[in-house]
Amino acid sequence: MAAVPGLAFAGSPDVTRETLPGAGIRPDESYGSPMWPTAEGSTSATPASRHVPFDARGAELIARVWEALELPGSARDYHFVLQSAVDRLWSTRRAEPESLAALEVFALLDLELMEAIPHAVSFDTTDAPAAFVRVSSVPRLIGLLEREGAFTEALGLARRLARFEQGEDVAARLSEKAQALVAEAAAQGGSS
């Protein structure tokens, strides 16, 4: 993922890319679309998109996501790896609250990826996409931040997400909450 243009991703922590299975393979493009070699033959699925097992949870899931981000793949593959991880971490948050830190990192990284390569979350493959897919990773983080009372941070993320034709209603609601808190603080400060 570090090769994605416009993305400030220096690489995955504690992952040595060269030791990962599939890191050095390249697709066969003689069929018109890339086909990746596998033990069974070949597939159109990139190494990054195949790396995270469906049943991975907790620390294993986090480690496999970091590894997947080091493997060959497209911006769209990385988006779906990150979004899937955020969704899984969200679903296990009560049993594994320590994973919420990774959820935040992955959601922010997904938003940065979307901002660098908008067509990663679009039905259109041009540089100026016309329609975006519904993203779940960033709204999950916005909701988490809102529950924690971090309205300003949640509002900033909602405004960034609005570029992708989603989150506008959340941004408006959070803006109202933030303004109400500022007004309340000013009223309390003036009355003492």
Side-chain angles (χ1 to χ4, degrees):
M1 191 163 105
V4 171
L7 186 63
F9 178 69
S12 299
D14 303 320
V15 175
T16 305
R17 183 178 201 278
E18 297 76 27
T19 63
L20 295 174
I25 65 172
R26 297 294 168 249
D28 175 359
E29 299 197 34
S30 62
Y31 299 105
S33 62
M35 295 300 290
W36 297 85
T38 66
E40 299 80 29
S42 63
T43 179
S44 61
T46 66
S49 68
R50 298 188 321 259
H51 190 71
V52 182
F54 180 74
D55 59 349
R57 297 287 183 258
E60 179 194 3
L61 171 63
I62 294 166
R64 294 298 291 254
V65 168
W66 284 123
E67 291 172 357
L69 299 180
E70 294 297 323
L71 292 171
S74 69
R76 183 169 283 135
D77 293 328
Y78 300 131
H79 159 68
F80 284 112
V81 165
L82 290 164
Q83 179 166 270
S84 175
V86 167
D87 289 344
R88 289 192 221 176
L89 292 170
W90 180 255
S91 70
T92 61
R93 69 191 178 282
R94 287 184 178 85
E96 300 171 358
E98 66 280 359
S99 296
L100 287 175
L103 180 150
E104 182 173 359
V105 169
F106 292 156
L108 289 172
L109 193 54
D110 195 20
L111 180 57
E112 291 170 15
L113 175 66
M114 292 163 48
E115 290 170 332
I117 309 289
H119 67 78
V121 292
S122 172
F123 296 110
D124 196 0
T125 58
T126 65
D127 288 335
F132 295 99
V133 298
R134 190 50 109 197
V135 173
S136 63
S137 57
V138 181
R140 291 217 190 276
L141 178 56
I142 291 170
L144 178 64
L145 292 170
E146 183 179 4
R147 281 184 205 87
E148 292 177 354
F151 298 120
T152 304
E153 190 175 347
L155 175 58
L157 292 176
R159 286 180 174 154
R160 288 170 65 188
L161 186 61
R163 171 183 175 194
F164 303 95
E165 301 169 358
Q166 45 203 306
E168 297 93 340
D169 55 334
V170 175
R173 183 173 46 77
L174 288 171
S175 183
E176 289 175 14
K177 276 188 176 184
Q179 289 171 357
L181 286 172
V182 168
E184 183 180 323
Q188 289 179 352
S191 65
S192 29

